[in-house]
PDB file of all heavy atoms in Angstrom:
ATOM      1  N   PHE A  13       5.944  12.570 -10.539  1.00 85.00           N
ATOM      2  CA  PHE A  13       7.000  13.610 -10.519  1.00 85.00           C
ATOM      3  C   PHE A  13       7.920  13.527 -11.722  1.00 85.00           C
ATOM      4  O   PHE A  13       8.181  14.471 -12.366  1.00 85.00           O
ATOM      5  CB  PHE A  13       7.787  13.468  -9.177  1.00 85.00           C
ATOM      6  CG  PHE A  13       8.861  14.475  -8.993  1.00 85.00           C
ATOM      7  CD1 PHE A  13       8.514  15.752  -8.689  1.00 85.00           C
ATOM      8  CD2 PHE A  13      10.194  14.085  -9.159  1.00 85.00           C
ATOM      9  CE1 PHE A  13       9.524  16.701  -8.518  1.00 85.00           C
ATOM     10  CE2 PHE A  13      11.184  15.101  -9.002  1.00 85.00           C
ATOM     11  CZ  PHE A  13      10.820  16.378  -8.672  1.00 85.00           C
ATOM     12  N   LEU A  17       8.237  16.183 -14.762  1.00 81.00           N
ATOM     13  CA  LEU A  17       9.453  16.829 -15.108  1.00 81.00           C
ATOM     14  C   LEU A  17       9.812  16.718 -16.589  1.00 81.00           C
ATOM     15  O   LEU A  17      10.170  17.658 -17.243  1.00 81.00           O
ATOM     16  CB  LEU A  17      10.659  16.174 -14.335  1.00 81.00           C
ATOM     17  CG  LEU A  17      11.066  16.800 -13.006  1.00 81.00           C
ATOM     18  CD1 LEU A  17      12.294  16.138 -12.530  1.00 81.00           C
ATOM     19  CD2 LEU A  17      11.233  18.245 -13.159  1.00 81.00           C
ATOM     20  N   TYR A  76      11.273   1.665   7.582  1.00 76.00           N
ATOM     21  CA  TYR A  76      11.625   2.832   8.365  1.00 76.00           C
ATOM     22  C   TYR A  76      11.116   4.125   7.792  1.00 76.00           C
ATOM     23  O   TYR A  76      11.632   4.604   6.772  1.00 76.00           O
ATOM     24  CB  TYR A  76      13.187   2.964   8.465  1.00 76.00           C
ATOM     25  CG  TYR A  76      13.711   1.896   9.411  1.00 76.00           C
ATOM     26  CD1 TYR A  76      14.301   0.712   8.964  1.00 76.00           C
ATOM     27  CD2 TYR A  76      13.665   2.051  10.818  1.00 76.00           C
ATOM     28  CE1 TYR A  76      14.773  -0.261   9.781  1.00 76.00           C
ATOM     29  CE2 TYR A  76      14.106   1.113  11.700  1.00 76.00           C
ATOM     30  CZ  TYR A  76      14.615  -0.058  11.159  1.00 76.00           C
ATOM     31  OH  TYR A  76      15.099  -0.991  12.015  1.00 76.00           O
ATOM     32  N   PHE A 154     -29.386  22.721  -1.007  1.00 90.00           N
ATOM     33  CA  PHE A 154     -29.780  23.250   0.334  1.00 90.00           C
ATOM     34  C   PHE A 154     -31.260  23.239   0.485  1.00 90.00           C
ATOM     35  O   PHE A 154     -31.804  22.895   1.515  1.00 90.00           O
ATOM     36  CB  PHE A 154     -29.252  24.708   0.554  1.00 90.00           C
ATOM     37  CG  PHE A 154     -27.711  24.756   0.581  1.00 90.00           C
ATOM     38  CD1 PHE A 154     -27.015  25.346  -0.484  1.00 90.00           C
ATOM     39  CD2 PHE A 154     -27.023  24.167   1.592  1.00 90.00           C
ATOM     40  CE1 PHE A 154     -25.611  25.445  -0.396  1.00 90.00           C
ATOM     41  CE2 PHE A 154     -25.614  24.215   1.669  1.00 90.00           C
ATOM     42  CZ  PHE A 154     -24.961  24.859   0.642  1.00 90.00           C
ATOM     43  N   LEU A 167     -26.655  16.028   1.383  1.00 86.00           N
ATOM     44  CA  LEU A 167     -27.206  17.080   0.574  1.00 86.00           C
ATOM     45  C   LEU A 167     -26.467  18.397   0.779  1.00 86.00           C
ATOM     46  O   LEU A 167     -26.147  19.126  -0.145  1.00 86.00           O
ATOM     47  CB  LEU A 167     -28.726  17.253   0.763  1.00 86.00           C
ATOM     48  CG  LEU A 167     -29.585  16.130   0.176  1.00 86.00           C
ATOM     49  CD1 LEU A 167     -31.080  16.370   0.501  1.00 86.00           C
ATOM     50  CD2 LEU A 167     -29.440  16.089  -1.337  1.00 86.00           C
ATOM     51  N   SER A 208     -10.324  38.745 -28.536  1.00 93.00           N
ATOM     52  CA  SER A 208     -11.609  38.094 -28.402  1.00 93.00           C
ATOM     53  C   SER A 208     -11.486  36.601 -28.338  1.00 93.00           C
ATOM     54  O   SER A 208     -12.226  35.976 -27.626  1.00 93.00           O
ATOM     55  CB  SER A 208     -12.499  38.544 -29.616  1.00 93.00           C
ATOM     56  OG  SER A 208     -13.638  37.755 -29.655  1.00 93.00           O
ATOM     57  N   PHE A 234     -31.051  15.806  -6.338  1.00 90.00           N
ATOM     58  CA  PHE A 234     -32.476  15.508  -6.456  1.00 90.00           C
ATOM     59  C   PHE A 234     -32.719  14.018  -6.378  1.00 90.00           C
ATOM     60  O   PHE A 234     -33.634  13.577  -5.645  1.00 90.00           O
ATOM     61  CB  PHE A 234     -33.004  16.069  -7.826  1.00 90.00           C
ATOM     62  CG  PHE A 234     -34.446  15.837  -7.989  1.00 90.00           C
ATOM     63  CD1 PHE A 234     -35.387  16.678  -7.383  1.00 90.00           C
ATOM     64  CD2 PHE A 234     -34.918  14.787  -8.730  1.00 90.00           C
ATOM     65  CE1 PHE A 234     -36.712  16.518  -7.517  1.00 90.00           C
ATOM     66  CE2 PHE A 234     -36.275  14.597  -8.909  1.00 90.00           C
ATOM     67  CZ  PHE A 234     -37.223  15.447  -8.284  1.00 90.00           C
ATOM     68  N   LEU A 255     -13.679  15.372 -13.826  1.00 90.00           N
ATOM     69  CA  LEU A 255     -12.880  15.121 -15.031  1.00 90.00           C
ATOM     70  C   LEU A 255     -13.468  15.812 -16.212  1.00 90.00           C
ATOM     71  O   LEU A 255     -12.772  16.511 -16.969  1.00 90.00           O
ATOM     72  CB  LEU A 255     -12.883  13.599 -15.334  1.00 90.00           C
ATOM     73  CG  LEU A 255     -11.842  12.818 -14.448  1.00 90.00           C
ATOM     74  CD1 LEU A 255     -11.896  11.357 -14.905  1.00 90.00           C
ATOM     75  CD2 LEU A 255     -10.430  13.398 -14.858  1.00 90.00           C
ATOM     76  N   VAL A 355       9.095   6.726  22.882  1.00 71.00           N
ATOM     77  CA  VAL A 355       7.652   6.835  22.874  1.00 71.00           C
ATOM     78  C   VAL A 355       7.159   6.188  24.135  1.00 71.00           C
ATOM     79  O   VAL A 355       7.365   4.955  24.403  1.00 71.00           O
ATOM     80  CB  VAL A 355       7.023   6.115  21.673  1.00 71.00           C
ATOM     81  CG1 VAL A 355       5.548   6.202  21.739  1.00 71.00           C
ATOM     82  CG2 VAL A 355       7.540   6.758  20.403  1.00 71.00           C
ATOM     83  N   ILE A 365     -11.754   7.283  36.594  1.00 85.00           N
ATOM     84  CA  ILE A 365     -11.215   7.705  35.256  1.00 85.00           C
ATOM     85  C   ILE A 365      -9.978   6.926  34.926  1.00 85.00           C
ATOM     86  O   ILE A 365      -9.041   6.781  35.715  1.00 85.00           O
ATOM     87  CB  ILE A 365     -10.818   9.241  35.319  1.00 85.00           C
ATOM     88  CG1 ILE A 365     -12.002  10.069  35.833  1.00 85.00           C
ATOM     89  CG2 ILE A 365     -10.384   9.727  33.960  1.00 85.00           C
ATOM     90  CD1 ILE A 365     -13.117  10.225  34.811  1.00 85.00           C
ATOM     91  N   PRO A 371       2.054  10.145  23.512  1.00 78.00           N
ATOM     92  CA  PRO A 371       2.258  11.398  22.759  1.00 78.00           C
ATOM     93  C   PRO A 371       1.124  11.610  21.745  1.00 78.00           C
ATOM     94  O   PRO A 371       0.801  10.673  21.006  1.00 78.00           O
ATOM     95  CB  PRO A 371       3.568  11.162  22.034  1.00 78.00           C
ATOM     96  CG  PRO A 371       4.135   9.930  22.708  1.00 78.00           C
ATOM     97  CD  PRO A 371       3.097   9.196  23.362  1.00 78.00           C
ATOM     98  N   LEU A 407       0.299   3.282  17.412  1.00 86.00           N
ATOM     99  CA  LEU A 407      -0.226   4.343  18.273  1.00 86.00           C
ATOM    100  C   LEU A 407      -1.282   5.173  17.502  1.00 86.00           C
ATOM    101  O   LEU A 407      -0.976   5.574  16.381  1.00 86.00           O
ATOM    102  CB  LEU A 407       0.946   5.237  18.755  1.00 86.00           C
ATOM    103  CG  LEU A 407       0.658   6.547  19.446  1.00 86.00           C
ATOM    104  CD1 LEU A 407      -0.041   6.307  20.780  1.00 86.00           C
ATOM    105  CD2 LEU A 407       1.927   7.261  19.713  1.00 86.00           C
ATOM    106  N   SER A 426       4.311  -8.061  23.672  1.00 73.00           N
ATOM    107  CA  SER A 426       3.611  -8.855  24.694  1.00 73.00           C
ATOM    108  C   SER A 426       2.155  -8.912  24.194  1.00 73.00           C
ATOM    109  O   SER A 426       1.733  -8.301  23.257  1.00 73.00           O
ATOM    110  CB  SER A 426       3.686  -8.134  26.069  1.00 73.00           C
ATOM    111  OG  SER A 426       2.653  -7.178  26.133  1.00 73.00           O
ATOM    112  N   ILE A 431      -9.988  -3.611  25.357  1.00 90.00           N
ATOM    113  CA  ILE A 431     -11.078  -2.977  26.138  1.00 90.00           C
ATOM    114  C   ILE A 431     -12.175  -2.550  25.191  1.00 90.00           C
ATOM    115  O   ILE A 431     -11.930  -1.814  24.261  1.00 90.00           O
ATOM    116  CB  ILE A 431     -10.519  -1.721  26.882  1.00 90.00           C
ATOM    117  CG1 ILE A 431      -9.218  -2.022  27.643  1.00 90.00           C
ATOM    118  CG2 ILE A 431     -11.596  -1.074  27.742  1.00 90.00           C
ATOM    119  CD1 ILE A 431      -8.504  -0.787  28.157  1.00 90.00           C
TER     120      ILE A 431
END
Side-chain angles (χ1 to χ4, degrees):
Chain A
F13 183 72
L17 264 190
Y76 286 99
F154 295 111
L167 286 177
S208 168
F234 182 78
L255 277 180
V355 179
I365 307 286
L407 169 63
S426 89
I431 307 167

